Amino acid sequence: MILQDVLVKPAGPDCNMDCGYCFYLEKLGLYPETATHRMSHDVLEVLIRKVMGGATEQVVFSWQGGEPTLMGLDFYRRVVMLQQRFGRGQTVGNGLQTNGLLLDRTWARFLADYRFLVGLSLDGPEHVHDRYRVTAAGRGTWAAVIDAAGVLQDAGVAVNALSVVTEYSAQFPEEIYVHHKELGLDHMQFVPCVETHAENPGRAAEFSLTARTYGSFLCRLFDLWLEDFVEGKPTTSVRFFDAILHRYLGQEPPDCTLRRQCGDYLVVEHNGDVFSCDFFVEPKWLLGNVVHDNLQALLNSDRQAAFGCLKSSLPPKCVTCEWLHLCTGGCTKDRIRDPGDHGLNHFCEAYLRFFDHADAGFRRLAEEWRMGETERAEAAVGNRVPFAGPKVGRNEPCPCGSGMKFKKCCGSNRPSTSA
């Protein structure tokens, strides 16, 4: 594999919030030698030089945390400068996942100028968002995040809403969906939450979603999404549904949780340590360090291959399931966070209910999409300028230079000139 996607944690697990469900704050235990964690200029330069040097046509950097804006704006100015210095004609994408608390107009102008895609962590309306997304002092952050959304949109930044779905928030699918739409956040990603209980490792944490609640949430959210189609085209993007639709169209979904195997990207911590996955930043899945190791070699290493194969090691219930071709067993981390699941995906029953509910809708959308493709292709042919040159045999090469036979190209819009 060629490395095209890298997820970077430039401030490690450090954050200016204290979300009740955060799984990454515990990573502080991996790096106890310092109280704060920041990627140095040297590590950053090595990282970008190696990624750009190994990538082909395109590469995507995803800047996450913790809270990546703790690095300050000058850090990201340096990021862009280094990408330009070490680039070899590639297309570069930058994504920033942020809680939004530090963003202002200066940040927004920069993000717009360099076309960063911003994922804004926003769980929903105030009573939903502020239930878990609070400061260290316990104060809610909803108002500040709403202000950040406005600043970003005013500057023309592409913004997605990322919402963690808990047992509480899953009771309000319509309220959350409408809330995001009214803010102009038409691209949404919903991440189901399941974490191990801190004091009782034998069960899931109290905020974790149950499969029953998540199933109801997905079904209602799907109906809302489907109602917003106009002439066969979506007016709202819900990442999970978009990815599932890829499967119905015979395409590989962009969402890694729906692929048959993991391991096609790398995670880089603040000190250059390289791990297999965002949800598996732990000693077992430490692959190496960006300063000392070849990133392509790490991506194609035996350990990374072993990690990728975890997903395809399925329990018997999955192997015989009629929906396996769609969910592929779900995210690997959802099989291990609740010991009570015994290796089965925590949300298995939710997916069974959802796919049964949504199958007919997805089939209809896929058929409408295929019909639309045919109509667009026919329209493109009909809009060709008729060939007006010298007479050409139907089976001769088209003089326009397309390499096709005349009858299949420009000659398709005019009567045959010869047999």
Side-chain angles (χ1 to χ4, degrees):
M1 290 186 291
I2 300 296
L3 182 62
Q4 292 184 306
D5 294 272
V6 59
L7 191 159
V8 191
K9 306 273 191 175
D14 296 356
C15 191
N16 51 352
M17 289 177 60
D18 189 18
C19 300
Y21 51 57
C22 182
F23 75 95
Y24 211 75
L25 281 177
E26 67 184 35
K27 307 306 177 185
L28 289 168
L30 292 175
Y31 304 103
E33 61 276 3
T34 58
T36 59
H37 308 86
R38 301 290 185 269
M39 182 172 283
S40 70
H41 286 175
D42 289 343
V43 171
L44 176 66
E45 181 167 337
V46 171
L47 167 66
I48 293 181
R49 174 171 55 81
K50 289 188 175 182
V51 172
M52 301 300 292
T56 53
E57 291 87 3
Q58 60 183 23
V59 60
V60 176
F61 292 84
S62 299
W63 306 94
Q64 297 190 17
E67 176 49 43
T69 61
L70 290 174
M71 297 300 301
L73 184 53
D74 283 344
F75 175 85
Y76 294 96
R77 291 191 176 110
R78 185 172 181 82
V79 164
V80 172
M81 181 270 290
L82 291 170
Q83 289 170 344
Q84 293 170 339
R85 178 195 298 178
F86 295 116
R88 297 175 294 109
Q90 297 108 320
T91 299
V92 180
N94 283 292
L96 180 74
Q97 184 61 45
T98 176
N99 59 36
L101 298 191
L102 297 179
L103 299 182
D104 56 20
R105 287 183 174 83
T106 304
W107 268 97
R109 284 195 299 272
F110 169 84
L111 295 170
D113 287 346
Y114 291 98
R115 299 183 181 180
F116 275 62
L117 173 63
V118 175
L120 189 64
S121 297
L122 177 63
D123 284 357
E126 187 170 7
H127 74 96
V128 172
H129 181 90
D130 283 353
R131 188 174 184 89
Y132 294 111
R133 298 194 64 80
V134 297
T135 66
R139 291 190 291 271
T141 59
W142 177 83
V145 178
I146 297 303
D147 287 344
V151 168
L152 292 170
Q153 290 170 317
D154 288 346
V157 179
V159 187
N160 295 350
L162 186 146
S163 305
V164 175
V165 187
T166 64
E167 185 69 5
Y168 177 76
S169 65
Q171 301 173 61
F172 308 99
E174 187 163 358
E175 194 174 342
I176 295 170
Y177 183 79
V178 172
H179 173 266
H180 289 354
K181 282 187 61 181
E182 288 179 344
L183 288 172
L185 299 173
D186 295 330
H187 287 72
M188 311 175 196
Q189 181 180 357
F190 296 94
V191 180
C193 181
V194 54
E195 296 295 334
T196 304
H197 197 286
E199 299 175 358
N200 186 351
R203 63 183 179 90
E206 65 278 357
F207 50 74
S208 295
L209 261 175
T210 61
R212 180 175 182 177
T213 307
Y214 189 42
S216 298
F217 176 85
L218 284 176
C219 289
R220 180 57 184 143
L221 191 67
F222 177 79
D223 292 344
L224 293 166
W225 178 72
L226 203 60
E227 290 169 5
D228 276 342
F229 272 69
V230 177
E231 297 180 352
K233 298 179 181 179
T235 60
T236 304
S237 169
V238 175
R239 180 170 175 171
F240 180 65
F241 301 155
D242 295 345
I244 292 292
L245 185 55
H246 275 71
R247 279 272 183 241
Y248 278 85
L249 292 169
Q251 302 169 0
E252 188 69 12
D255 193 329
C256 65
T257 65
L258 298 176
R259 296 175 190 165
R260 293 176 176 84
Q261 187 165 313
C262 298
D264 59 355
Y265 78 100
L266 297 175
V267 176
V268 181
E269 252 289 347
H270 70 287
N271 66 342
D273 283 350
V274 180
F275 294 88
S276 295
C277 171
D278 183 25
F279 292 106
F280 291 85
V281 175
E282 53 194 54
K284 181 178 180 180
W285 299 112
L286 173 63
L287 304 176
N289 189 282
V290 69
V291 175
H292 311 295
D293 297 304
N294 182 291
L295 293 180
Q296 301 294 336
L298 296 182
L299 182 67
N300 293 284
S301 65
D302 290 343
R303 182 169 294 185
Q304 183 70 344
F307 170 76
C309 288
L310 290 177
K311 182 174 175 60
S312 57
S313 179
L314 298 169
K317 182 177 180 179
C318 290
V319 175
T320 59
C321 178
E322 64 175 312
W323 304 115
L324 177 61
H325 67 291
L326 295 178
C327 87
T328 65
C331 183
T332 304
K333 62 100 175 170
D334 291 337
R335 303 181 201 168
I336 63 175
R337 292 294 195 264
D338 183 355
D341 294 326
H342 304 294
L344 190 67
N345 190 291
H346 185 77
F347 302 113
C348 178
E349 296 303 319
Y351 293 137
L352 291 174
R353 178 180 174 185
F354 168 69
F355 289 129
D356 184 65
H357 174 83
D359 180 58
F362 276 124
R363 290 182 182 276
R364 177 171 61 81
L365 292 178
E367 182 60 27
E368 289 176 355
W369 186 90
R370 293 189 185 97
M371 291 177 63
E373 282 291 284
T374 300
E375 292 172 358
R376 286 188 287 273
E378 291 174 348
V381 170
N383 288 332
R384 287 179 185 160
V385 177
F387 178 71
K391 291 183 178 181
V392 181
R394 295 179 68 247
N395 292 311
E396 294 179 14
C398 187
C400 76
S402 67
M404 300 172 64
K405 290 183 179 181
F406 179 63
K407 66 182 179 182
K408 294 289 187 180
C409 191
C410 297
S412 63
N413 273 342
R414 69 174 219 171
S416 171
T417 59
S418 64

